[in-house]
Amino acid sequence: MIRIIGNHVSPYARKVFLALDHKEVDYEIDPIVPFFGGDDFTRLNPLRRIPVLIDGDLVIPDSTVICEYLDDRFPERPLYPADPAQRARARWLEEFADSRLGDVMIWKLFFQRNVKPRVWKQETDEALVAQVVAQDLPEVMDWLEPQAPAAGYMFDDLSMTDLTFASFFRNAALAGWSLDAERWPRVAAWIDHVQATPLFARSVMFEQIMLTTPGREVAAALTAGGLKVAATSVRGDAPRRGPMSV
Ligand SMILES: N[C@@H](CCC(=O)N[C@@H](CS)C(=O)NCC(=O)O)C(=O)O
């Protein structure tokens, strides 16, 4: 069975869970927090980042590479448009989200507000957060607003573009940022539409379990929620920074 190393708080791992759930593919999860991965985690992904997919002998890190693999391996209910031009645009938008929204919403905002105090027991740099909210986020949003669909999904059907952006905006919300629907109405309506799907709501349920359950009870809580949790884990003990950690 396919195994995913990662948990539903990560926007990158969430993308993969959403893709698997949309395609109704059976999988199990090793819900580690990446900083707590042990040596086996480093062997599987030298970048020490989640998600990592294991499918038999195949080990693949990186959310977009994984999602493209899943679309190739399970072509039912495709998550990338068939038309070449739309497909290229879907890939570009996903890359923009992974790198630029990742930079602003995850490495700056979510890291400062959530990861730093929780994992590293350090204070949030509020000056940096203020600069992100005043400058970086509006720049990103101003570019994104005319790209967003007038209604519904980005393309004819639900795609990785929708799931990816909804996933990053979820983390920005967890970090306390709320999207101004008057200033960026198209993006607001688009993200609301995707986040309101039962598919997305289910991922938020598991995210909340991760955020509110003591570590030793997480596996039981995720199982009770309907996930298959792997019998073994690449979890280690003390947290450590990876080669690309901020
Ligand atoms: N490009 C990667 C990025 C994955 C990523 O950065 N994951 C974060 C969690 S949100 C992580 O594992 N961080 C660990 C670290 O920074 O050391 C992907 O798309 O999967």
Side-chain angles (χ1 to χ4, degrees):
M1 190 192 307
I2 285 180
R3 178 181 294 198
I4 303 295
I5 300 172
N7 71 77
H8 289 74
V9 180
S10 158
Y12 299 97
R14 196 189 292 116
K15 283 170 62 180
V16 170
F17 296 129
L18 288 164
L20 285 160
D21 289 346
H22 173 75
K23 288 173 173 290
E24 298 179 356
V25 171
D26 203 20
Y27 62 95
E28 61 182 16
I29 164 174
D30 177 2
I32 67 162
V33 174
F35 311 103
F36 287 89
D39 293 339
D40 286 342
F41 180 50
T42 314
R43 274 189 281 279
L44 293 172
N45 183 3
L47 304 181
R48 290 182 57 81
R49 289 188 160 184
I50 57 169
V52 177
L53 168 142
I54 304 174
D55 186 8
D57 291 338
L58 180 70
V59 178
I60 298 287
D62 196 276
S63 60
T64 297
V65 180
I66 294 171
C67 290
E68 291 181 344
Y69 169 71
L70 291 173
D71 222 42
D72 291 342
R73 176 140 154 54
F74 305 102
E76 288 290 309
R77 315 196 76 203
L79 278 168
Y80 293 92
D83 171 74
Q86 289 194 344
R87 203 170 169 86
R89 184 156 178 260
R91 287 182 165 141
W92 150 239
L93 289 169
E94 188 169 350
E95 165 54 27
F96 177 80
D98 286 355
S99 52
R100 184 65 177 139
L101 294 195
D103 178 39
V104 174
M105 293 179 170
I106 306 304
W107 309 125
K108 291 179 177 160
L109 194 62
F110 190 78
F111 175 78
Q112 286 295 335
R113 283 265 171 84
N114 303 61
V115 176
K116 223 175 158 188
R118 276 178 86 116
V119 176
W120 303 115
K121 316 289 180 215
Q122 292 169 352
E123 278 180 26
T124 299
D125 180 345
E126 289 296 349
L128 177 62
V129 169
Q131 187 236 302
V132 168
V133 170
Q135 195 179 322
D136 297 11
L137 277 164
E139 259 175 40
V140 167
M141 294 301 298
D142 287 345
W143 182 81
L144 195 55
E145 179 67 12
Q147 310 289 328
Y153 298 128
M154 182 63 82
F155 302 103
D156 290 344
D157 299 313
L158 178 75
S159 69
M160 275 323 296
T161 311
D162 306 303
L163 298 176
T164 299
F165 279 83
S167 195
F168 280 96
F169 277 88
R170 174 70 193 160
N171 281 74
L174 286 173
W177 183 73
S178 49
L179 203 172
D180 182 342
E182 286 187 12
R183 194 167 169 192
W184 300 293
R186 285 168 77 117
V187 178
W190 174 42
I191 298 302
D192 277 356
H193 182 62
V194 182
Q195 290 185 345
T197 57
L199 177 74
F200 200 91
R202 185 166 184 267
S203 82
V204 169
M205 176 187 76
F206 293 127
E207 164 213 286
Q208 286 302 306
I209 290 174
M210 281 303 298
L211 288 173
T212 59
T213 311
R216 63 190 170 284
E217 294 164 28
V218 160
L222 293 176
T223 305
L227 273 186
K228 292 193 173 96
V229 178
T232 56
S233 175
V234 294
R235 194 182 189 284
D237 298 322
R240 47 176 132 152
R241 286 192 154 79
M244 293 171 71
S245 296
V246 290

